[in-house]
Amino acid sequence: MTAPRPVDLALRARWILPMEPGCVLDDHALVVDEGRIVDLLPAADLSARFAPREHATFARHVLMPGLVNAHTHAAMTLLRGIADDVPLDAWLRDHIWPRESAFVTPEFVHDGATLAAVEMLRGGITCCSDMYFYPDAAAQAFDAAGLRAVIGLPVLDFPTPYASDADDYLRVGLAARDALKHLPRLTWMLAPHAPYTVGDAAFARIVTYARQLDLPIQTHLQETRAELDEALARTGETELARLDRLGATGPNFVAIHAVHLGAGDRERLATQRCSVVHCPASNMKLASGIAPVAGLVAQGIDVALGTDGAASNNRLDLFAEMRLAALLAKVATGDAAALPAAAVLHMATLGGARVLSLEASIGSLVPGKQADVVAVDLGEIDDAPVYDPISHLVHVASRERVSDVWVAGERVVRDRVPVRVDVPALAARTRLWQQKLR
Ligand SMILES: [Zn+2]
């Protein structure tokens, strides 16, 4: 008999939900070494095979892959709750854009992204996809907090303090990527804001860069009925048809929101193997509509979940999004079987990883993948009884039940406390921003 193999970490739990396969494992242990998962085995077999340097037991928890927030604007967490109860166009024009042009600096983005990173990590989100000005400042904030992130390089056709025109946005964005692409928890994508703010010439250049650099493209798409109607009136085609004509669609194309889709656009998304990010809370709060998610999933389209920015949500809470997605799909289709809990959990984990082109490294607890892991306590009296932990994660648990979080095998939240961020100092900086932004 060989001696037990020394490893960095073993996590034993009441339940483990690896996502691949989708079943729940009772009293198993997850073994981690050098940031990666090396095994998942019955807890009784652990000591014979492994000698972990650190060992933790979660007797009333479920261990699951870290949640993937596939769309946010992290820095906008500083604008949380600043303007509620207004539709998208007025919300942007009267409340968000004026404050952004007056206040958005690298310091704003760094502090807002740090605030968002703390909220997301404490809520079990280990990876986000972000889209905002000064992406280098957000990237450094996420990296410092320990969060994994896909950094969107924003593109607009109009000037802001960050850049002057589409070429300038691409130039400064790609320079930020060049400066930071050594950071292992970060990947990069091109993030044209929306078809109505980025013209054909700029989209054509984005497509060229995406192909040359093998970068995904994600953009807000057909979020409101008015947006779609204006596109049809102006160009005679839907936004998606236009982007298809410009060569933007394909397996590397991610449509955010995709609330208003006719049959032609759904077919286009499916045949081009595009993905969709569903942001139910933001769509409900801005009264944008209900994305046809159950139908998209039935057509084989990959769908992830996103919170959107805290300014239109007002929380970065994927537990809330999971429950809303499940309930909305049922009420929208009149079918109680639409989007069962396992399908929603898939969207928030492995499905999200796939949409962000990270499926090979995260999204499930299988040997070889990064150890991005969340422990969720299902042992409180208001959780009882627990017949099915998957159902509980979607319909019962809240993010406050997340106790511990690991990214690449590093515990970045310990008993609800972020390990790498000075939270009192962050709170003080946030109060200063609140005084300025009010
Ligand atoms: Zn958004």
Side-chain angles (χ1 to χ4, degrees), residues 41-87:
L41 73 175
D45 300 341
L46 178 66
S47 59
R49 305 227 353 242
F50 295 100
R53 282 174 278 277
E54 184 188 348
H55 190 163
T57 298
F58 295 87
R60 43 187 248 173
H61 294 62
V62 56
L63 284 187
M64 60 181 287
L67 298 170
V68 176
N69 181 3
H71 177 60
T72 191
H73 312 279
M76 295 181 84
T77 307
L78 287 172
L79 299 169
R80 189 201 318 272
I82 207 153
D84 290 339
D85 312 319
V86 278

Side-chain angles (χ1 to χ4, degrees), residues 71-73 131 220 223 256-257 308-309:
H71 177 60
T72 191
H73 312 279
M131 178 196 285
H220 297 106
E223 180 175 359
I256 302 155
H257 298 306
D308 214 350

